[in-house]
Amino acid sequence: MKIHPLLLALLLVPAVHASPAEHDHTGTPSHSLTISGAVKAPGELDLAAIKKLAPKNTGPMNVICASGQLKGKADNYRGVLLTDVLDSVVIDQKAHKDDRRMVIVARATDGYTVTFSWSELYNTEIGKQVLVAWEKDGKPLEPGEGQLLLISGKDIKTGPRHVRWLDRIEVVRMP
């Protein structure tokens, strides 16, 4: 029996905890973003390095949990596209179309984990609004959100892929 690569990735990634908008405990704020896995330049990007990438603004955005309940609002998040972060470390393609077998895993200091496929980030509207943010409504993020967070602004329910205390991105090549 052959398992679809994205399904396999979801099985291999640790279970996702409750949506960050739904849990009360606080993660440890990270001061950098570690990038690892199938990339040519793995390493750590501090906030200053991330800010050197092309900044983007989301405009008004709601955080809606998996149940559909509104959990938070922002007039604007400021950050950089996740694809720009990935492009800065260069995904390591071993063969033609290898990137289509990639799964991107975003992890928080509290263990919260979400996934994206390469195709989702680079070939859909979703990828145009997956932001690694450092600012909300013109101010640095609150301590309860960490120094960095990830939000997927084109998701219908933004809460499940709202990663507070973001500290790690891993690019996984599926078999």
Side-chain angles (χ1 to χ4, degrees):
M1 176 172 98
K2 188 170 182 170
I3 297 178
H4 188 275
L6 186 54
L7 178 59
L8 181 60
L10 293 173
L11 294 172
L12 294 175
V13 172
V16 174
H17 304 311
S19 169
E22 295 172 340
H23 65 74
D24 294 327
H25 69 281
T26 301
T28 305
S30 67
H31 301 286
S32 62
L33 184 60
T34 301
I35 316 276
S36 63
V39 295
K40 291 185 179 180
E44 196 169 315
L45 298 174
D46 63 12
L47 186 57
I50 293 169
K51 285 183 174 183
K52 287 180 182 175
L53 301 173
K56 303 282 183 199
N57 294 306
T58 62
M61 185 176 295
N62 293 331
V63 177
I64 300 170
C65 74
S67 71
Q69 184 179 20
L70 178 66
K71 290 294 188 173
K73 291 183 172 190
D75 290 327
N76 186 62
Y77 284 100
R78 184 161 179 80
V80 297
L81 293 176
L82 178 56
T83 52
D84 289 346
V85 172
L86 294 171
D87 291 346
S88 76
V89 296
V90 186
I91 292 178
D92 187 16
Q93 298 180 33
K94 302 285 188 199
H96 182 63
K97 297 184 181 181
D98 196 28
D99 48 8
R100 285 129 181 113
R101 296 180 18 223
M102 303 292 184
V103 175
I104 291 74
V105 182
R107 299 180 194 275
T109 61
D110 69 345
Y112 190 79
T113 304
V114 301
T115 59
F116 297 89
S117 70
W118 177 93
S119 292
E120 182 179 25
L121 290 175
Y122 286 91
N123 286 328
T124 72
E125 287 295 313
I126 287 174
K128 293 179 181 180
Q129 285 259 339
V130 179
L131 205 68
V132 175
W134 60 79
E135 188 177 285
K136 178 180 174 183
D137 296 336
K139 299 176 187 166
L141 296 172
E142 295 288 328
E145 296 174 297
Q147 188 173 15
L148 294 168
L149 65 75
L150 182 138
I151 191 153
S152 182
K154 289 285 186 181
D155 285 355
I156 294 167
K157 295 179 179 177
T158 55
R161 291 203 287 194
H162 177 205
V163 183
R164 298 183 295 187
W165 314 299
L166 178 69
D167 79 328
R168 181 171 302 277
I169 302 291
E170 182 180 1
V171 179
V172 179
R173 178 182 289 108
M174 302 308 301

